[in-house]
Amino acid sequence: MTPNPPLPTPRSPLPNKVLILGSGGLKIGQAGEFDYSGSQAIKALREEGIKVVLINPNIATIQTSEGMADATYYLPVTPEYVRQVIEKEKPDGLLLSFGGQTALNCGVALDRDGTLAEYGVKVLGTSVKTIEDTEDRELFVKRLDEIGALSPRSVAVTDTASALKAAGEIGYPVMARVAYALGGAGSGICRNEKELSKRCGMAFARTNETGASPQILVEEWLGGWKEIEFEVVRDSFDNCITVCSMENFDPLGIHTGESIVAAPAQTLSDSEFQKLRKVAIDVIRHLGIIGECNIQYALDPFSEDYRIIEVNARLSRSSALASKATGYPLAFVAAKLALGYSLLDIENRITRATKSCFEPAIDYVVVKVPRWDLAKFKNVDLRIGSEMKSVGEVMSIARTFEEAIQKALRMTGIGAPGLAGEDALCGGSFTQPGKIDAKIRDALSMPTDRRIFVIYRALVEGWTADKIHSLTKIDKWFLHKIANVYETEKELRGTVSSEQGSVLVRELLAKAKRLGFSDSRIGEFCSLSEKEVRALREEFRIFPAVKQIDTLAAEYPAKTNYLYMSYCAAETASGGIPIDDVSPAGRGVMVLGSGAYRIGSSVEFDWCCVNAALTARKLGRYSIMVNCNPETVSTDYDMCDRLYFEELTLERILDIYEREKADGIILSMGGQIPNNLATKLFDA
């Protein structure tokens, strides 16, 4: 934490009634993460005895459930309807940061048309002026310039002719970014006048929800630079901490929502990390943000040169990821800060021993992988870029990047066994003699939702990490980690001989598990069934350890059972028995979540899972939740007695069930993924 003596003075009086704007219907770029953040905000306000009014027409959410807000209006989150609710309910305060871009734009419009001033409604937390400073591209650059914070060379324009002139001065290619846009909508790389004219035509035709004229920022293209994010929290007394750093697997040009993301950032030097952390705190203080925000950087991989791409003065999908990755309840803390509390006042709900002014420390690695459903549409462009197309995401936790990414790829539910290079996963045939290299080169140069599998296929075909890097600009650290997995795959395949069958020794099996290979995948390489590999593991006493997320890397004891499993945890000297952070419950009901959001399976199943867990607790039954979706309420730290942030596979569910000795498993609440496990679990 950055020290800021003296201690804060007493906070201002609390409001009597607060209006929270939800995010409305789920859409690409704005999904269940705002049900999580809004639900936490409601809890924080209700804890203070404040009456809560919620506007959200999404009936599938937890926040609109009975017993959450004091009054819930199933109305569109638009200025017209929100104005009517304000007139009727007469709230003292308004929270805009918990409903995504929809709530933010609506709040800005209500401020501009005088509604908030007319009815005496105070925006709590970050002010509308600060929101405008971060959303309006021209104002944003000016505010950064005031403190010498670097941003890309750029020009803000409101018509196509001005955009073409700006691009001519900056030089092609350029990045065009649209103001007040959700999920990078309308933004993209333009390599010539034709592409820029087309993008401007679409962007300027778009209705601006704030009532302002559409605006585009034409900026220099920083191709090949790393993309780094920091989640930052600041209170009204100017105390400021960074909660989490995150690094995109893909370089700049791929939207964060489209990229694999690792937390904490894996390839930064300490000097780079400290520099970006300091800049983040300086920027957030200068902008005057109160609560939580996200700052995104482009970082030159060959120097410490950086550019600030954007600041989100609200909670976002990255905020949900950072919160679940660290165990730091960002939305809850942000709501308390909006009421005027200091970071020194708010208890860390994980440790119960420290305050929220302690920066989280992570002794594990988190990997987020997006989920796309592009195959459901005809003639769709499969390429990914600066606009979001993913419909959901998963998060895995492990002790090595290799283990974490393999787990995450299985979690997506697309049939991937982990890292693999089969044609079906690569999105086409790569077996035509003489043309394999050309197809791989094209697939790596023009990224699609299947590029991670094409990278693995390239390694299978003999490509080096350096060669892959030259086309993708993905950091070589990540590529070498993927290469480690392939080298182990070759070792596993080498255990099979025509004379003896498979000879899988303990050392190699343990190594494969540490690198994230599933039992079924190991069996595939070694001509064994999944059941036979599991039996061999048990014979060798190779089990995953149960580890705890405590926000402070075991410096303080954690009081919350927020768990994951890893084969890379420390082992005792004898027998290879892993050291667990918690003892088995020996009771309880396991509830299996729905995994990644996808078309046909979304937040409605999270509603079912949360209510199943809450009902079990009301009936006096110990509840154990298993899910891997960071956007959900079911993966919040306080929704059940024990939470496993884990994959929904037969292997892992059996690991948890056998270890916890649960009374039973509820499969019917999480949709198709748990249902598909029913027969396998029965047979096991």
Side-chain angles (χ1 to χ4, degrees), residues 66-67 610-623 641:
E66 184 180 358
V610 168
N611 279 281
L614 293 176
T615 301
R617 295 175 85 176
K618 286 178 183 177
L619 295 173
R621 305 296 293 271
Y622 195 83
S623 59
D641 295 300

Side-chain angles (χ1 to χ4, degrees), residues 343-542:
L343 285 166
L344 282 70
D345 297 328
I346 306 167
E347 181 186 51
N348 183 318
R349 296 301 179 96
I350 299 291
T351 65
R352 304 273 181 186
T354 60
K355 298 297 184 179
S356 294
C357 55
F358 280 68
E359 289 191 346
I362 299 177
D363 56 359
Y364 48 84
V365 62
V366 169
V367 170
K368 180 269 285 186
V369 174
R371 155 88 190 210
W372 294 269
D373 275 342
L374 300 177
K376 289 184 179 287
F377 302 97
K378 294 181 179 178
N379 303 319
V380 69
D381 185 356
L382 299 176
R383 291 175 296 177
I384 58 175
S386 59
E387 290 186 84
M388 277 188 68
K389 295 180 180 179
S390 61
V391 295
E393 63 188 34
V394 295
M395 183 186 100
S396 73
I397 312 170
R399 290 298 179 99
T400 66
F401 178 79
E402 295 95 327
E403 185 182 22
I405 194 169
Q406 293 236 74
K407 285 171 63 175
L409 290 170
R410 288 194 292 273
M411 289 173 175
T412 59
I414 62 173
L419 287 165
E422 286 88 336
D423 284 357
L425 292 171
C426 292
S429 175
F430 286 78
T431 56
Q432 192 172 355
K435 295 186 177 181
I436 297 175
D437 270 17
K439 290 207 69 172
I440 291 175
R441 186 176 294 105
D442 290 344
L444 293 178
S445 301
M446 295 179 288
T448 70
D449 57 324
R450 301 304 178 105
R451 180 156 76 164
I452 184 66
F453 303 111
V454 178
I455 289 171
Y456 198 79
R457 180 59 175 267
L459 292 169
V460 172
E461 298 294 339
W463 285 45
T464 63
D466 286 350
K467 187 175 180 181
I468 296 170
H469 169 77
S470 67
L471 286 174
T472 64
K473 305 306 178 187
I474 294 169
D475 194 280
K476 293 178 186 178
W477 186 90
F478 292 116
L479 298 176
H480 283 299
K481 293 294 182 181
I482 295 172
N484 289 345
V485 173
Y486 178 57
E487 291 302 316
T488 304
E489 176 185 324
K490 290 194 291 185
E491 289 184 61
L492 290 167
R493 290 184 182 276
T495 63
V496 180
S497 67
S498 55
E499 296 82 14
Q500 295 179 298
S502 178
V503 183
L504 185 57
V505 298
R506 185 188 188 282
E507 182 181 355
L508 180 56
L509 179 56
K511 177 184 177 182
K513 297 306 290 183
R514 288 195 298 271
L515 292 180
F517 286 96
S518 66
D519 286 351
S520 61
R521 189 65 165 170
I522 293 170
E524 182 183 335
F525 297 147
C526 301
S527 299
L528 298 170
S529 68
E530 180 177 356
K531 192 173 182 179
E532 287 173 323
V533 175
R534 187 177 189 85
L536 194 58
R537 268 203 303 111
E538 292 173 353
E539 178 186 336
F540 289 151
R541 300 192 63 74
I542 299 172

Side-chain angles (χ1 to χ4, degrees), residues 33 54 167 172 229 248 273 281 357 554 587 594 600 617 652 663:
E33 66 271 18
L54 172 69
Y172 289 98
E229 295 182 68
N248 284 15
F273 175 86
I281 290 174
C357 55
R587 59 195 169 102
S594 59
R617 295 175 85 176
R652 190 43 43 94
D663 300 321

Side-chain angles (χ1 to χ4, degrees), residues 21-23 29-30 33-34 37 96-106 182 314-316:
L21 301 188
S23 59
Q30 190 168 277
E33 66 271 18
F34 296 108
S37 60
L96 301 177
S97 301
F98 300 86
Q101 198 69 43
T102 297
L104 217 61
N105 290 349
C106 182
L182 171 64
R314 58 173 172 82
L315 286 107
S316 63

